[in-house]
Amino acid sequence: MPHFPMDSPDPVRSLPARRSVLGAMAATAASPTLLGLSSPASAASAAPVAQPRALPGGGDLGPNVIVFDPSTSGIQAKLDEVFRQQESAQFGTGRYALLFKPGTYNGLNAQLGFYTSIAGLGLSPDDTAINGDVTVDAGWFNGNATQNFWRSAENLALTPVSGTDRWAIAQAAPFRRMHVRGGLDLAPTGYGWASGGYIADSRIDGSVGPYSQQQWYTRDSSVGGWANAVWNMVFSGVQGAPAQSFPNPPYTTRDTTPVSREKPFLYLNGSEYRVFLPERRTNARGTTWGSGTPRGTSLPLTQFYVARPGVTAATLNAALTQGLHLLLTPGIYHLDQPIQVDRAGTVVLGLGYATLIPDNGVTALRTADVDGVRLAGFLIDAGPVNSSTLLEVGPTGASASHSANPTTVQDVFIRIGGAGAGKATTSMVINSRHTIIDHTWVWRADHGTGVGWETNRADYGIRVNGDDVLATGLFVEHFNKYDVQWYGQRGRTIFFQNEKAYDAPNQAAIQNGNVKGYAAYKVADSVTTHEGWGLGSYCYYNVDPTIVQHNGFAAPNTPGVKFHDLLVVSLGGQGQYEHVVNETGAPTSGTSTVPSTVASYP
């Protein structure tokens, strides 16, 4: 049963399965120049050579970026209009970014539905103050918040009307660079089920109440208190975090985050749009903005190709070749070739859950083995023709050190199925050393359209080949085989949340040689150094509840491979685990949905 403090509200119930069951129930860019070469002087008599026109930088952000200032009339009506459209549009095509210029706004309640991002346009969250609320609740789903995916809040200061803001979300819903001048409630009205979540670079002056939230990761922030824990609450670099106490209560607390670099963000410098690039921090603790202007650099919007839905991959690549960064405005982008990022320091920033769909089995995006690429704020949706990969960071065999200026992958989400049939063999491949994966949800859909054991076949979620890779906030779910495979040396993960595939038809379908099932998180036998903190795997085999999963975690049994605070959970007894990690940890049993835990391994 969930653990709650004595003064927590009574209506919270024990937690069966989450979704299917509940549903059924900075390098400076070159100035734009002409592409191609002009004719040599010695060929003056030859016919002129046509030169492609340079792509412009900057420009209008498009119709689905809605910008407000304090003098704008009808703000609440517009917020309500977008919410009505997006509230239950889980697999719809609408995409919106709601941006607020610096200033003070009174009496607003911005309710956020699917594929909706709200953000301030100041350099600090306190530059844009809302005396009111940014609200995520679950009325559309009868008080169940476990499908409140794909929405975000960034860079605002809130003074909630009631004293407490409500952010009842599940996966892929980051809360970044936020200042809540009050408390924060992470459960829906009525304390129904919830499955989140992620906070970074935020300050909550009051207490955070997770209540029914099954798991949560908070990084480099400040909280006035933390009310309770259900299965897995993880903190790194959080001032005011509860003390380490896993498994009772299940708090995993690290004093600092070893390496972090906050997500790029759009802001206004007077009337000029710029993109701020926060600097890398080591042993980070607390927010980047609490003592004034954040540290980092910025780029004018004129150094970005501002992409609109309908643009071709060839045009996006031409912009990159020209020396521009990419700003993907809200919408859906079909790609007939990979976006190829070859230049160090390139920024690819999405607004409003801009969505890339690779057609004809291509990879959506690839990077070269270069320093400081920043990929942030977009969704990759697998297409109906199988892609071998969807995102590749660095080429196979990448070996250069990027310790001083790593590539970051932040709020980059991947989906296979749900919005239609999609297939991919491996969703995300990390080859470049020192890459930071900072909050991702890589999801083989368990509901929606185009869902079935073979219909949205996706064998592997994330494969890490590069050395020295750090993952902070790793959510990977429902893959046909391994959800995470880690081949690189000295890898580290702080917080992992997983569900094994619900829809396995029988034991034989998941058999891994002589082993019952594929581990959620597999460290290769060749790895000698690896470490993880606060990792959880859940099973809910609703097609065949007799399926047995040998373990959630598999790794070489060597002193350099260490795990802290592991758990496995059988949701309602639909399938069981025999062990937690390797041959260690008690089996799950019965229908009580009680985690089996291992506090330290080996």
Side-chain angles (χ1 to χ4, degrees), residues 258-276:
V259 187
S260 64
R261 189 175 68 193
E262 299 303 330
K263 177 185 173 186
F265 61 92
L266 191 68
Y267 75 103
L268 278 171
N269 180 28
S271 60
E272 177 197 21
Y273 282 107
R274 298 182 70 90
V275 173
F276 192 81

Side-chain angles (χ1 to χ4, degrees), residues 41 61 98 105 150 192 202 215 226 249 253 291 312 326 394 457 592:
L61 298 177
L98 310 173
Y105 301 79
W150 304 307
S202 294
Q215 67 278 314
W226 195 273
T253 303
S291 57
T312 65
L326 296 182
R457 182 83 194 187
S592 57

Side-chain angles (χ1 to χ4, degrees), residues 470-521:
L470 171 66
T472 52
L474 195 61
F475 299 75
V476 189
E477 296 189 301
H478 303 154
F479 285 84
N480 295 77
K481 293 184 178 179
Y482 291 121
D483 298 275
V484 173
Q485 301 174 90
W486 209 296
Y487 290 86
Q489 298 288 352
R490 297 175 298 280
R492 292 173 291 183
T493 295
I494 304 173
F495 182 88
F496 172 67
Q497 187 264 326
N498 165 264
E499 286 180 348
K500 295 304 299 174
Y502 290 176
D503 56 345
N506 49 50
Q507 186 76 48
I510 64 162
Q511 195 69 13
N512 181 14
N514 295 324
V515 180
K516 299 172 185 174
Y518 290 80
Y521 189 105

